Amino acid sequence: MNTPFRPLPFLNEARAEPVSGPRLQKLRRAAQEAREVFTASGPVVAVATCDLVTFPYPSLFAFSGGALSPAPYVMMTNRMQVVQYLEDGGTRTLLFNPSDYERGQAAPFFRSLREKYGDFISDKLMSRRHGTVRSHLAALGLKPEDVDYIAFDHLHVQDVRRWLGGDGEPAYFPRAKLLVQRAEWESVKNLHPMEKVWYVPGGTDGVPEERVVLLDGDTWLGRGAAILSTPGHTMGNMSLAVATDQEVFVVSENGVATESYTPLQSGIPGVRAFAEQLGWEVVLNGNTRESSLEQYSSMIVEKVFAGPSRVEGAFVNFHPSSLLTSSLVAPGLSPTITLPAPNHGDIRPTAAARRAA
Protein backbone atom coordinates (compact mmCIF):
# COMPACT_ATOMS: atom_id res chain seq x y z
CA MET A 1 0.00 0.00 0.00
CA ASN A 2 1.33 3.45 -0.87
CA THR A 3 1.77 5.97 1.91
CA PRO A 4 -0.91 8.68 2.25
CA PHE A 5 1.53 10.96 4.08
CA ARG A 6 3.99 13.67 3.04
CA PRO A 7 7.74 13.64 3.76
CA LEU A 8 9.51 15.86 6.26
CA PRO A 9 11.70 18.40 4.45
CA PHE A 10 15.50 18.61 4.26
CA LEU A 11 16.49 15.22 5.68
CA ASN A 12 16.26 13.12 2.51
CA GLU A 13 18.52 15.57 0.70
CA ALA A 14 21.11 15.28 3.47
CA ARG A 15 21.00 11.47 3.31
CA ALA A 16 21.90 11.62 -0.38
CA GLU A 17 25.48 12.57 0.57
CA PRO A 18 27.50 9.40 -0.17
CA VAL A 19 30.38 9.94 2.29
CA SER A 20 29.57 9.15 5.95
CA GLY A 21 31.43 12.06 7.60
CA PRO A 22 29.95 14.87 5.49
CA ARG A 23 26.58 13.08 5.59
CA LEU A 24 26.57 13.34 9.38
CA GLN A 25 27.23 17.07 9.24
CA LYS A 26 24.49 17.60 6.64
CA LEU A 27 22.05 15.52 8.70
CA ARG A 28 22.79 17.60 11.79
CA ARG A 29 21.88 20.80 9.95
CA ALA A 30 18.90 19.24 8.19
CA ALA A 31 17.48 17.92 11.47
CA GLN A 32 17.48 21.42 12.94
CA GLU A 33 15.79 22.86 9.85
CA ALA A 34 13.20 20.08 9.77
CA ARG A 35 12.50 20.54 13.48
CA GLU A 36 11.71 24.22 12.99
CA VAL A 37 9.20 23.50 10.21
CA PHE A 38 7.69 20.59 12.16
CA THR A 39 7.09 22.53 15.37
CA ALA A 40 5.67 25.53 13.50
CA SER A 41 2.76 23.38 12.31
CA GLY A 42 1.37 23.08 15.86
CA PRO A 43 1.08 20.44 18.58
CA VAL A 44 -0.46 16.98 18.71
CA VAL A 45 -3.86 16.58 20.28
CA ALA A 46 -2.61 14.19 22.96
CA VAL A 47 0.03 11.63 23.84
CA ALA A 48 0.06 9.08 26.67
CA THR A 49 2.88 6.74 27.70
CA CYS A 50 2.07 3.25 29.01
CA ASP A 51 4.54 0.88 30.69
CA LEU A 52 4.26 -2.68 29.39
CA VAL A 53 6.99 -4.96 30.75
CA THR A 54 10.40 -4.77 32.46
CA PHE A 55 12.89 -7.31 31.11
CA PRO A 56 16.63 -8.19 31.16
CA TYR A 57 19.00 -7.05 28.43
CA PRO A 58 22.74 -7.72 28.12
CA SER A 59 24.86 -5.05 29.83
CA LEU A 60 27.40 -5.46 27.05
CA PHE A 61 24.94 -4.09 24.50
CA ALA A 62 23.25 -1.31 26.49
CA PHE A 63 26.14 1.17 26.23
CA SER A 64 28.19 -0.60 23.55
CA GLY A 65 30.36 -2.18 26.24
CA GLY A 66 31.17 1.10 27.97
CA ALA A 67 29.35 0.51 31.28
CA LEU A 68 31.29 -1.18 34.10
CA SER A 69 29.34 -3.58 36.29
CA PRO A 70 29.54 -7.22 37.37
CA ALA A 71 25.89 -7.64 36.37
CA PRO A 72 25.38 -9.49 33.08
CA TYR A 73 22.09 -7.70 32.45
CA VAL A 74 20.59 -4.27 32.73
CA MET A 75 16.84 -4.00 33.27
CA MET A 76 14.74 -2.11 30.75
CA THR A 77 11.04 -1.20 30.65
CA ASN A 78 9.29 -1.42 27.30
CA ARG A 79 6.76 1.38 26.80
CA MET A 80 3.96 2.19 24.38
CA GLN A 81 2.94 5.68 23.28
CA VAL A 82 -0.68 6.40 22.36
CA VAL A 83 -0.69 9.44 20.07
CA GLN A 84 -3.65 11.42 18.77
CA TYR A 85 -3.10 14.05 16.10
CA LEU A 86 -5.04 16.00 13.48
CA GLU A 87 -4.79 14.92 9.85
CA ASP A 88 -7.12 15.92 7.00
CA GLY A 89 -9.50 17.52 9.46
CA GLY A 90 -9.93 14.42 11.60
CA THR A 91 -8.30 12.99 14.70
CA ARG A 92 -6.12 9.94 14.13
CA THR A 93 -4.91 7.49 16.78
CA LEU A 94 -1.49 5.86 16.54
CA LEU A 95 -0.06 3.20 18.86
CA PHE A 96 3.73 3.34 18.83
CA ASN A 97 5.37 0.12 20.07
CA PRO A 98 2.24 -1.80 21.13
CA SER A 99 4.38 -4.83 21.99
CA ASP A 100 2.65 -8.18 22.32
CA TYR A 101 5.31 -9.14 24.83
CA GLU A 102 3.85 -12.54 25.63
CA ARG A 103 4.50 -13.64 22.06
CA GLY A 104 7.75 -11.71 21.96
CA GLN A 105 9.27 -14.34 24.24
CA ALA A 106 9.43 -16.61 21.20
CA ALA A 107 12.34 -14.57 19.81
CA PRO A 108 15.39 -16.88 20.00
CA PHE A 109 17.34 -14.60 22.36
CA PHE A 110 14.60 -14.46 24.98
CA ARG A 111 13.60 -18.08 24.46
CA SER A 112 17.19 -19.10 25.29
CA LEU A 113 17.14 -16.97 28.47
CA ARG A 114 14.02 -18.76 29.66
CA GLU A 115 15.58 -22.13 28.89
CA LYS A 116 18.68 -21.12 30.87
CA TYR A 117 17.00 -19.65 33.96
CA GLY A 118 13.63 -21.41 34.06
CA ASP A 119 10.12 -20.03 34.46
CA PHE A 120 10.34 -18.95 38.11
CA ILE A 121 13.48 -16.80 37.80
CA SER A 122 12.40 -15.51 34.40
CA ASP A 123 8.92 -14.47 35.56
CA LYS A 124 9.49 -13.51 39.20
CA LEU A 125 13.03 -12.08 39.36
CA MET A 126 14.03 -11.05 35.83
CA SER A 127 10.83 -9.50 34.55
CA ARG A 128 7.81 -7.54 35.70
CA ARG A 129 4.56 -7.05 33.83
CA HIS A 130 2.96 -3.62 34.19
CA GLY A 131 0.02 -3.95 31.83
CA THR A 132 -0.95 -5.15 28.39
CA VAL A 133 -1.78 -3.17 25.29
CA ARG A 134 -5.43 -4.11 25.77
CA SER A 135 -5.58 -3.15 29.45
CA HIS A 136 -3.90 0.21 28.85
CA LEU A 137 -6.25 1.11 26.01
CA ALA A 138 -9.25 0.18 28.12
CA ALA A 139 -7.96 2.39 30.93
CA LEU A 140 -7.68 5.27 28.45
CA GLY A 141 -11.25 4.69 27.29
CA LEU A 142 -10.26 3.45 23.83
CA LYS A 143 -11.79 0.55 21.91
CA PRO A 144 -9.99 -1.48 19.23
CA GLU A 145 -11.87 0.35 16.46
CA ASP A 146 -10.47 3.69 17.68
CA VAL A 147 -6.98 2.76 16.50
CA ASP A 148 -6.01 3.95 13.01
CA TYR A 149 -2.33 2.97 12.93
CA ILE A 150 0.21 0.92 14.80
CA ALA A 151 3.97 1.25 14.38
CA PHE A 152 7.18 0.03 15.98
CA ASP A 153 10.59 1.64 16.01
CA HIS A 154 11.75 -1.72 14.62
CA LEU A 155 10.44 -5.28 14.56
CA HIS A 156 12.83 -6.96 16.99
CA VAL A 157 10.85 -9.38 19.23
CA GLN A 158 7.54 -8.29 17.68
CA ASP A 159 4.64 -10.51 16.61
CA VAL A 160 1.95 -8.41 14.92
CA ARG A 161 -0.46 -11.19 13.94
CA ARG A 162 -2.71 -10.77 16.99
CA TRP A 163 -3.20 -7.08 16.19
CA LEU A 164 -3.52 -7.21 12.38
CA GLY A 165 -4.57 -10.78 11.68
CA GLY A 166 -2.51 -13.44 9.96
CA ASP A 167 -2.16 -17.20 9.62
CA GLY A 168 -5.91 -17.57 10.07
CA GLU A 169 -6.06 -15.41 13.20
CA PRO A 170 -8.62 -12.54 13.29
CA ALA A 171 -7.36 -8.99 13.81
CA TYR A 172 -7.85 -7.45 17.25
CA PHE A 173 -7.72 -3.97 15.70
CA PRO A 174 -10.34 -4.06 12.92
CA ARG A 175 -9.23 -0.83 11.18
CA ALA A 176 -5.58 -0.37 12.09
CA LYS A 177 -2.80 -0.39 9.53
CA LEU A 178 0.87 -1.04 10.26
CA LEU A 179 3.26 1.80 9.43
CA VAL A 180 6.68 0.31 8.71
CA GLN A 181 9.74 1.32 6.76
CA ARG A 182 10.02 -0.60 3.51
CA ALA A 183 13.56 -1.65 4.43
CA GLU A 184 12.35 -3.14 7.74
CA TRP A 185 9.48 -5.04 6.15
CA GLU A 186 11.66 -6.49 3.41
CA SER A 187 14.33 -7.40 5.96
CA VAL A 188 12.00 -9.27 8.32
CA LYS A 189 10.77 -11.33 5.37
CA ASN A 190 14.33 -12.28 4.40
CA LEU A 191 16.45 -12.34 7.55
CA HIS A 192 20.22 -12.65 7.56
CA PRO A 193 21.54 -15.28 10.02
CA MET A 194 22.99 -12.52 12.25
CA GLU A 195 19.54 -10.94 12.56
CA LYS A 196 17.43 -13.99 13.38
CA VAL A 197 18.16 -14.11 17.13
CA TRP A 198 16.12 -10.93 17.70
CA TYR A 199 13.03 -11.68 15.57
CA VAL A 200 9.98 -13.77 16.40
CA PRO A 201 9.80 -16.61 13.86
CA GLY A 202 6.82 -16.00 11.61
CA GLY A 203 5.82 -12.84 13.51
CA THR A 204 4.53 -11.18 10.33
CA ASP A 205 3.35 -14.27 8.44
CA GLY A 206 -0.03 -13.99 6.77
CA VAL A 207 -0.62 -10.32 7.60
CA PRO A 208 -2.88 -9.01 4.80
CA GLU A 209 -1.07 -6.73 2.37
CA GLU A 210 -3.80 -4.09 2.66
CA ARG A 211 -3.03 -3.74 6.40
CA VAL A 212 0.56 -2.60 5.75
CA VAL A 213 1.66 0.92 4.79
CA LEU A 214 5.27 0.94 3.59
CA LEU A 215 7.21 4.12 4.35
CA ASP A 216 10.27 5.32 2.49
CA GLY A 217 12.04 7.65 4.88
CA ASP A 218 10.97 10.54 7.10
CA THR A 219 7.20 10.87 7.23
CA TRP A 220 4.97 13.67 8.47
CA LEU A 221 1.86 11.95 9.82
CA GLY A 222 -0.12 15.04 10.79
CA ARG A 223 0.00 18.03 13.06
CA GLY A 224 2.68 17.51 15.67
CA ALA A 225 3.39 13.85 14.79
CA ALA A 226 6.11 12.44 12.55
CA ILE A 227 8.21 9.37 11.89
CA LEU A 228 11.96 9.92 11.56
CA SER A 229 13.91 7.45 9.49
CA THR A 230 16.78 6.43 11.81
CA PRO A 231 18.52 3.44 10.21
CA GLY A 232 21.38 1.56 11.81
CA HIS A 233 20.05 -0.37 14.76
CA THR A 234 18.13 -2.12 12.02
CA MET A 235 18.17 -0.95 8.43
CA GLY A 236 14.50 0.03 8.70
CA ASN A 237 14.70 1.56 12.17
CA MET A 238 12.54 4.62 12.78
CA SER A 239 11.71 7.02 15.60
CA LEU A 240 8.56 8.77 16.77
CA ALA A 241 8.65 12.56 17.03
CA VAL A 242 5.82 14.31 18.86
CA ALA A 243 5.49 18.08 19.32
CA THR A 244 3.49 19.65 22.13
CA ASP A 245 3.10 23.37 22.66
CA GLN A 246 6.24 23.33 24.85
CA GLU A 247 8.63 20.60 23.64
CA VAL A 248 9.43 17.81 21.21
CA PHE A 249 9.61 14.19 22.36
CA VAL A 250 11.64 11.67 20.37
CA VAL A 251 11.22 7.93 21.03
CA SER A 252 13.20 4.92 19.78
CA GLU A 253 15.53 2.19 21.00
CA ASN A 254 18.71 3.60 19.46
CA GLY A 255 19.72 4.53 23.01
CA VAL A 256 18.65 2.92 26.29
CA ALA A 257 18.63 6.18 28.30
CA THR A 258 18.64 9.90 27.69
CA GLU A 259 22.28 9.91 28.85
CA SER A 260 23.12 7.80 25.80
CA TYR A 261 22.88 11.14 23.97
CA THR A 262 24.95 13.10 26.52
CA PRO A 263 27.40 10.45 27.81
CA LEU A 264 29.65 13.06 29.41
CA GLN A 265 26.74 13.71 31.80
CA SER A 266 26.42 10.03 32.73
CA GLY A 267 27.01 8.84 36.28
CA ILE A 268 27.05 5.17 35.27
CA PRO A 269 30.54 3.82 35.94
CA GLY A 270 32.60 3.68 32.76
CA VAL A 271 30.25 5.43 30.33
CA ARG A 272 31.82 8.89 30.48
CA ALA A 273 35.38 7.55 30.23
CA PHE A 274 34.34 5.30 27.35
CA ALA A 275 32.86 8.21 25.38
CA GLU A 276 35.84 10.46 26.14
CA GLN A 277 38.34 7.84 25.03
CA LEU A 278 36.56 7.21 21.73
CA GLY A 279 35.51 10.81 21.14
CA TRP A 280 31.87 9.78 20.78
CA GLU A 281 29.06 12.31 21.14
CA VAL A 282 26.50 9.53 21.64
CA VAL A 283 26.75 5.92 22.85
CA LEU A 284 24.83 3.33 20.86
CA ASN A 285 22.51 0.60 22.01
CA GLY A 286 24.78 -1.91 20.32
CA ASN A 287 23.10 -5.29 20.02
CA THR A 288 23.23 -5.30 16.22
CA ARG A 289 25.96 -4.84 13.66
CA GLU A 290 23.95 -3.84 10.61
CA SER A 291 25.47 -0.37 10.41
CA SER A 292 26.92 1.37 13.45
CA LEU A 293 27.94 4.45 11.45
CA GLU A 294 24.36 4.94 10.34
CA GLN A 295 23.06 4.38 13.86
CA TYR A 296 25.42 7.01 15.27
CA SER A 297 24.27 9.52 12.64
CA SER A 298 20.64 8.63 13.33
CA MET A 299 21.17 9.33 17.03
CA ILE A 300 22.51 12.78 16.15
CA VAL A 301 19.34 13.40 14.13
CA GLU A 302 17.26 12.34 17.14
CA LYS A 303 19.34 14.49 19.49
CA VAL A 304 18.96 17.63 17.39
CA PHE A 305 15.30 17.03 16.62
CA ALA A 306 14.40 16.48 20.28
CA GLY A 307 16.43 19.36 21.67
CA PRO A 308 17.23 19.79 25.37
CA SER A 309 14.83 18.59 28.04
CA ARG A 310 12.51 21.26 29.41
CA VAL A 311 12.90 19.60 32.83
CA GLU A 312 16.68 19.16 32.85
CA GLY A 313 18.45 21.14 30.14
CA ALA A 314 21.74 19.24 30.38
CA PHE A 315 19.98 16.17 28.93
CA VAL A 316 18.25 15.53 25.61
CA ASN A 317 14.47 15.10 25.41
CA PHE A 318 14.90 11.57 24.13
CA HIS A 319 12.72 8.83 25.62
CA PRO A 320 13.76 5.22 25.02
CA SER A 321 11.07 2.83 23.88
CA SER A 322 12.84 0.40 26.23
CA LEU A 323 13.97 2.50 29.18
CA LEU A 324 16.95 1.70 31.41
CA THR A 325 15.40 0.91 34.79
CA SER A 326 16.93 0.74 38.29
CA SER A 327 17.09 -2.77 39.74
CA LEU A 328 18.84 -4.55 42.60
CA VAL A 329 19.94 -7.24 40.16
CA ALA A 330 21.82 -4.66 38.06
CA PRO A 331 24.19 -2.83 40.45
CA GLY A 332 25.78 0.31 39.03
CA LEU A 333 23.46 0.30 36.05
CA SER A 334 20.74 2.69 37.17
CA PRO A 335 19.98 5.72 34.99
CA THR A 336 21.58 9.00 36.01
CA ILE A 337 18.23 10.69 35.40
CA THR A 338 14.80 9.56 34.23
CA LEU A 339 12.86 12.29 32.49
CA PRO A 340 9.07 12.53 32.83
CA ALA A 341 7.51 10.27 30.22
CA PRO A 342 5.80 11.80 27.17
CA ASN A 343 2.29 12.78 28.24
CA HIS A 344 0.20 15.65 26.93
CA GLY A 345 -3.51 16.44 26.62
CA ASP A 346 -6.34 13.94 26.98
CA ILE A 347 -6.73 10.78 24.91
CA ARG A 348 -10.33 10.43 23.70
CA PRO A 349 -12.33 7.82 21.75
CA THR A 350 -12.60 8.66 18.05
CA ALA A 351 -14.62 5.85 16.46
CA ALA A 352 -17.96 7.16 17.77
CA ALA A 353 -17.18 10.64 16.46
CA ARG A 354 -16.44 9.21 12.99
CA ARG A 355 -19.74 7.31 12.96
CA ALA A 356 -21.64 10.45 13.96
CA ALA A 357 -20.02 12.42 11.15
Side-chain angles (χ1 to χ4, degrees), residues 65-80:
L68 301 177
S69 171
Y73 304 105
V74 301
M75 301 302 290
M76 302 209 297
T77 299
N78 183 238
R79 306 190 293 183
M80 171 180 69

Side-chain angles (χ1 to χ4, degrees), residues 18-357:
V19 181
S20 57
R23 183 166 64 248
L24 171 58
Q25 299 310 316
K26 290 182 178 181
L27 282 169
R28 190 189 298 271
R29 292 192 295 271
Q32 182 60 49
E33 294 172 326
R35 184 187 196 274
E36 292 170 0
V37 174
F38 175 66
T39 55
S41 73
V44 292
V45 175
V47 57
T49 297
C50 307
D51 290 353
L52 295 174
V53 62
T54 298
F55 63 94
Y57 184 72
S59 303
L60 177 66
F61 297 151
F63 291 95
S64 292
L68 301 177
S69 171
Y73 304 105
V74 301
M75 301 302 290
M76 302 209 297
T77 299
N78 183 238
R79 306 190 293 183
M80 171 180 69
Q81 272 75 38
V82 181
V83 183
Q84 292 189 325
Y85 60 91
L86 294 178
E87 188 259 331
D88 281 346
T91 300
R92 303 288 182 261
T93 300
L94 163 72
L95 307 184
F96 194 67
N97 290 316
S99 299
D100 188 350
Y101 57 77
E102 293 174 336
R103 295 191 177 190
Q105 294 179 31
F109 178 81
F110 288 104
R111 187 179 67 238
S112 68
L113 282 188
R114 180 169 291 272
E115 292 171 353
K116 179 178 181 179
Y117 293 107
D119 291 344
F120 179 81
I121 292 178
S122 298
D123 293 332
K124 302 300 182 182
L125 298 180
M126 296 181 69
S127 66
R128 179 186 175 194
R129 300 183 177 191
H130 305 283
T132 65
V133 172
R134 299 182 194 192
S135 67
H136 281 302
L137 293 183
L140 290 169
L142 296 182
K143 296 181 178 179
E145 56 266 30
D146 287 310
V147 177
D148 296 282
Y149 302 109
I150 69 171
F152 302 86
D153 45 22
H154 61 300
L155 292 175
H156 281 176
V157 306
Q158 301 299 339
D159 187 330
V160 301
R161 290 172 293 183
R162 181 177 290 175
W163 304 148
L164 300 173
D167 280 351
E169 185 170 8
Y172 180 72
F173 296 115
R175 302 176 49 260
K177 293 180 171 61
L178 173 69
L179 305 180
V180 61
Q181 292 291 331
R182 187 182 303 273
E184 186 74 4
W185 193 247
E186 292 176 352
S187 176
V188 77
K189 298 295 187 181
N190 302 278
L191 291 171
H192 185 280
M194 291 183 69
E195 298 174 306
K196 289 183 177 180
V197 70
W198 296 109
Y199 287 89
V200 173
T204 62
D205 287 355
V207 172
E209 182 179 343
E210 63 270 17
R211 304 298 297 272
V212 181
V213 179
L214 299 179
L215 307 179
D216 292 297
D218 309 283
T219 303
W220 204 333
L221 302 178
R223 196 178 78 180
I227 294 294
L228 303 177
S229 174
T230 52
H233 186 68
T234 67
M235 296 314 295
N237 203 84
M238 62 189 193
S239 308
L240 172 70
V242 173
T244 72
D245 51 4
Q246 295 182 309
E247 57 193 330
V248 175
F249 298 108
V250 172
V251 178
S252 83
E253 204 177 273
N254 276 320
V256 302
T258 184
E259 63 205 84
S260 301
Y261 294 76
T262 53
L264 300 187
Q265 303 295 326
S266 178
I268 296 174
V271 171
R272 176 175 178 173
F274 177 76
E276 287 178 331
Q277 180 182 14
L278 296 178
W280 286 7
E281 183 180 342
V282 296
V283 176
L284 285 60
N285 172 16
N287 71 321
T288 58
R289 296 293 183 267
E290 275 92 334
S291 181
S292 294
L293 292 181
E294 289 299 318
Q295 185 176 350
Y296 187 104
S297 296
S298 291
M299 291 177 73
I300 297 301
V301 169
E302 292 176 319
K303 179 176 182 175
V304 172
F305 209 91
S309 166
R310 186 171 60 90
V311 176
E312 180 50 71
F315 292 87
V316 175
N317 204 21
F318 172 84
H319 297 263
S321 55
S322 292
L323 173 72
L324 183 69
T325 302
S326 298
S327 173
L328 292 176
V329 302
L333 294 171
S334 297
T336 303
I337 187 173
T338 299
L339 299 175
N343 288 289
H344 169 78
D346 296 316
I347 299 292
R348 299 183 184 278
T350 57
R354 278 193 294 268
R355 288 195 295 269

